[in-house]
Amino acid sequence: MNESSRRWNRWAWPVLSLALFALSVSSRWFQAAVAADRQGCVNVHGLEYATIVQAGMIFGLAVGPAIIRWARQAARVLMPEADATRRQQRINAVAALSIVLGMLTDIFWVVPQFNVYIDLHRPLLAEADVVLYGMGFFAGAGWAILLERQAWIGWLISLAMALMVIGSVLSTHSWC
């Protein structure tokens, strides 16, 4: 792979991530989500939130190699007496925790009353979008730490799980 191709790859994924985030928080998508929320539906909001999280994951995966280096350096500083294996175990534990915590909060985003509450409080709406993007970023970084070059498998797992939550029994009556 030549230098210009590497440079393009380095910037393409973060740009794609930010473009996907911008699309997800656009006014047209927001208006459709509010209209669906008024009817008690979570389909539009669920897809919007899943897209925001996936956009964050793409960014986390893109900067994964840098995060791996940073995490190893931080572990050396914070745990100077520990051997490399023990430090890597701690890094992996934190990475797995960030993935699990990010996935556990998905359940909130398919509750119609919660979505209406967020819609009615504009400052919370922006914060919710940034929090979702951040959750995706940390999950993507976690997958990069745990699976390194195969982190895309983790992204597929997370995507599948998000879509299962949206389409699950919890929201079968919320599709309009």
Side-chain angles (χ1 to χ4, degrees):
M1 185 184 303
N2 63 24
E3 183 61 31
S4 65
S5 178
R6 247 185 256 133
R7 191 176 314 121
W8 184 86
N9 281 335
R10 186 175 7 170
W11 291 104
W13 293 109
V15 168
L16 173 66
S17 168
L18 294 173
L20 195 56
F21 176 75
L23 174 70
S24 301
V25 298
S26 68
S27 63
R28 177 170 263 159
W29 200 331
F30 174 73
Q31 291 168 351
V34 169
D37 288 345
R38 287 188 180 134
Q39 296 175 350
C41 305
V42 297
N43 55 349
V44 178
H45 247 136
L47 293 173
E48 175 189 15
Y49 291 154
T51 303
I52 293 171
V53 170
Q54 296 308 312
M57 285 189 74
I58 290 170
F59 192 76
L61 291 170
V63 298
I67 290 179
I68 291 169
R69 286 190 302 274
W70 177 85
R72 288 180 180 155
Q73 289 172 348
R76 275 194 299 274
V77 170
L78 295 172
M79 302 170 55
E81 282 89 33
D83 63 347
T85 303
R86 185 167 171 84
R87 286 193 298 256
Q88 189 61 45
Q89 287 173 339
R90 297 289 183 194
I91 292 169
N92 290 349
V94 170
L97 183 65
S98 69
I99 294 167
V100 170
L101 289 177
M103 288 182 183
L104 285 176
T105 59
D106 283 349
I107 198 71
F108 291 113
W109 308 111
V110 295
V111 177
Q113 295 82 2
F114 184 74
N115 290 329
V116 170
Y117 180 79
I118 295 292
D119 288 343
L120 295 175
H121 298 84
R122 289 278 195 195
L124 290 178
L125 182 63
E127 290 176 11
D129 292 343
V130 170
V131 166
L132 286 166
Y133 189 81
M135 287 168 37
F137 173 81
F138 286 114
W143 284 119
I145 288 169
L146 292 176
L147 300 177
E148 295 186 14
R149 292 185 58 88
Q150 289 81 27
W152 61 272
I153 296 170
W155 177 72
L156 290 176
I157 291 168
S158 296
L159 178 60
M161 290 181 73
L163 294 176
M164 283 190 280
V165 167
I166 292 169
S168 71
V169 175
L170 297 172
S171 62
T172 54
H173 301 295
S174 298
W175 286 85
C176 298

